[in-house]
Amino acid sequence: MTVRNSLLAILAEQPTHGYGLKSSFERNTAGLWPLNVGQVYTTLGRLERDGFVKPWGKVTERARQSWKITAAGRKTLTDWFESPVEDRPRDELAIKVLLAIAADSVDVREIIHRQRVATMERLQQLTRAKRKTDPKDDLSTVLLLDLQILRADSEIKWLDVCEQRLRGRRRRDTL
Amino acid sequence: MTVRNSLLAILAEQPTHGYGLKSSFERNTAGLWPLNVGQVYTTLGRLERDGFVKPWGKVTERARQSWKITAAGRKTLTDWFESPVEDRPRDELAIKVLLAIAADSVDVREIIHRQRVATMERLQQLTRAKRKTDPKDDLSTVLLLDLQILRADSEIKWLDVCEQRLRGRRRRDTL
DNA sequence: ACAGCCATGTAACTTGTTACATGATTTT
DNA sequence: AAAATCATGTAACAAGTTACATGGCTGT
């Protein structure tokens, strides 16, 4: 529901037309998550169907149709903002590693290693980007860098833990 | 593609029937991500359509149909295992916080606070669960606890950073 | 003139997911 | 005998996503 709710959040500020929603979304997320503009229109259609937005304003010469959030839409949005993100959607990394451990025909250490290398490279890139940051930069850019760095960091820590525990298991197996 | 690839990974070990795939998946992920068995059948249908699995063995009296991975399926699976997880799918927490910051009609601090409380509670639960852990426990159970704890930890750290940077901005705004 | 962005929209598709119908076998 | 688990499958839908068709406007 992330895209849906994001559009509602932008519309809650002011009525906006399709392309404007795309731009707003990308501006707010510092261009990190590009949004195919086609998706804006499909999503708007679904939001209208569900009564969360309605067409707004003159569909004049310039044809751009603006959309306005409804009371029901505001309710949904408030609920979204008020409820913490806490479901645990299937985590691809975790599942991959666990299945690799379970499979005897797969070299788990190799997989962990590859992941580790990729994440460390990413971490370096991010760190470099953050160093280049200056206080005048967009708050969102900086916060997203912070988040990505923290995430990459915890990922590497976990991969280390995996290796340790695997070594532990192997030692026990060979005893 | 996580479910798809997971089923392939299980089938790569040995031919299995639908319900067995469900059980295997849940065992391997320590019951953390229940898999509606209906989804196994729909996914198997799609995997067969794409030539990644094929029916296997006698469809005898007991009717349970087993499935075997194909060469094409093995290829897909290998690619999955070999490629690091590194896309950055839209992060709901990040987007929520950033949009809340952008919206003047939303109390960001309140949202961050709620999230923080929820995550800290979760962290305590997880820590308690980990303390109760004993070495005889399933490796997957322990690793999943480790991962969740690390993730919760980094989430809290990020929320702190958000608050700090927001305070910084507010100070600058009022100067 | 041409490239690139602004702008709207649709068709087609993917994966994930659940609700439901149906029944056999196993455990309590 | 009842409850739980094993077992198969289908219909329907949600949300995300892209490729494509179409055109105006802007800067080089």
Side-chain angles (χ1 to χ4, degrees):
Chain A
M1 309 287 292
T2 312
V3 171
R4 262 172 86 96
N5 288 321
S6 297
L7 297 192
L8 285 181
I10 296 164
L11 290 177
E13 293 303 295
Q14 58 178 304
T16 314
H17 63 275
Y19 196 88
L21 288 167
K22 173 207 161 74
S23 317
S24 251
F25 179 85
E26 290 181 346
R27 201 182 332 111
N28 285 322
T29 55
L32 187 62
W33 294 294
L35 179 57
N36 182 311
V37 64
Q39 189 170 352
V40 172
Y41 296 102
T42 51
T43 305
L44 276 173
R46 290 161 190 175
L47 284 170
E48 189 187 16
R49 175 199 63 192
D50 299 338
F52 296 151
V53 304
K54 60 181 180 220
W56 184 82
K58 55 268 163 168
V59 198
T60 53
E61 1 62 63
R62 272 151 188 283
R64 25 162 54 202
Q65 173 67 69
S66 278
W67 297 85
K68 193 180 194 297
I69 192 170
T70 65
R74 274 221 150 72
K75 175 70 169 53
T76 307
L77 181 60
T78 307
D79 289 349
W80 185 56
F81 271 136
E82 283 182 358
S83 60
V85 176
E86 62 152 342
D87 43 334
R88 349 150 217 184
R90 300 210 162 89
D91 185 302
E92 192 178 350
L93 176 63
I95 290 175
K96 193 186 277 196
V97 170
L98 292 178
L99 289 175
I101 290 174
D104 355 276
S105 55
V106 176
D107 185 351
V108 203
R109 287 188 305 172
E110 176 63 19
I111 287 169
I112 292 176
H113 176 71
R114 277 171 198 269
Q115 185 69 46
R116 219 174 170 288
V117 168
T119 306
M120 297 241 4
E121 261 165 32
R122 206 165 124 60
L123 184 56
Q124 273 166 41
Q125 254 177 265
L126 290 165
T127 308
R128 240 176 288 139
K130 195 180 166 183
R131 230 183 298 125
K132 272 193 221 132
T133 258
D134 90 85
K136 289 196 309 194
D137 271 335
D138 215 31
L139 186 56
S140 48
T141 305
V142 182
L143 286 178
L144 282 173
L145 282 172
D146 289 332
L147 178 62
Q148 291 178 90
I149 288 172
L150 285 166
R151 287 250 212 268
D153 228 69
S154 66
E155 197 169 299
I156 289 171
K157 278 187 197 146
W158 187 64
L159 292 169
D160 289 345
V161 170
C162 287
E163 276 180 344
Q164 270 165 43
R165 295 212 191 273
L166 281 170
R167 270 199 297 275
R169 193 184 65 163
R170 194 162 304 118
R171 202 183 316 125
R172 216 173 312 135
D173 286 351
T174 50
L175 283 182
Chain B
M1 311 283 297
T2 312
V3 171
R4 262 171 86 96
N5 288 321
S6 297
L7 298 192
L8 285 180
I10 296 165
L11 289 177
E13 293 302 295
Q14 59 178 306
T16 313
H17 63 274
Y19 196 88
L21 288 167
K22 173 206 161 76
S23 318
S24 252
F25 179 86
E26 290 181 346
R27 202 182 331 112
N28 284 323
T29 55
L32 187 62
W33 293 294
L35 179 57
N36 181 311
V37 65
Q39 189 170 352
V40 172
Y41 295 102
T42 51
T43 305
L44 277 172
R46 289 159 189 176
L47 285 170
E48 187 187 18
R49 175 200 63 191
D50 299 337
F52 295 151
V53 303
K54 60 182 181 218
W56 185 80
K58 54 267 161 168
V59 197
T60 54
E61 3 60 63
R62 272 148 188 283
R64 23 154 66 196
Q65 174 67 70
S66 277
W67 297 84
K68 193 181 194 295
I69 192 170
T70 65
R74 275 221 147 71
K75 174 71 169 55
T76 306
L77 180 62
T78 307
D79 289 349
W80 186 56
F81 271 136
E82 283 182 357
S83 60
V85 177
E86 61 152 345
D87 43 333
R88 344 148 223 185
R90 300 211 164 90
D91 185 301
E92 193 178 350
L93 175 62
I95 290 175
K96 194 185 277 197
V97 170
L98 292 178
L99 289 175
I101 290 174
D104 356 275
S105 54
V106 176
D107 185 352
V108 204
R109 287 187 304 171
E110 177 62 20
I111 288 169
I112 291 176
H113 177 70
R114 276 169 197 269
Q115 185 69 45
R116 216 170 171 290
V117 168
T119 307
M120 297 241 2
E121 259 164 34
R122 206 166 125 61
L123 185 56
Q124 272 167 40
Q125 254 177 266
L126 290 165
T127 308
R128 239 176 290 139
K130 195 181 167 184
R131 230 183 300 125
K132 271 194 222 131
T133 259
D134 90 87
K136 289 197 310 197
D137 271 334
D138 215 31
L139 186 55
S140 47
T141 305
V142 181
L143 286 177
L144 282 174
L145 282 172
D146 290 332
L147 178 62
Q148 291 177 91
I149 288 172
L150 284 165
R151 287 248 213 269
D153 227 68
S154 66
E155 199 170 297
I156 289 171
K157 278 186 195 146
W158 187 63
L159 291 168
D160 289 346
V161 170
C162 286
E163 276 180 343
Q164 269 165 44
R165 294 211 191 273
L166 281 170
R167 270 199 295 276
R169 193 184 65 164
R170 194 160 306 121
R171 202 182 316 126
R172 219 174 306 136
D173 285 352
T174 49
L175 284 180

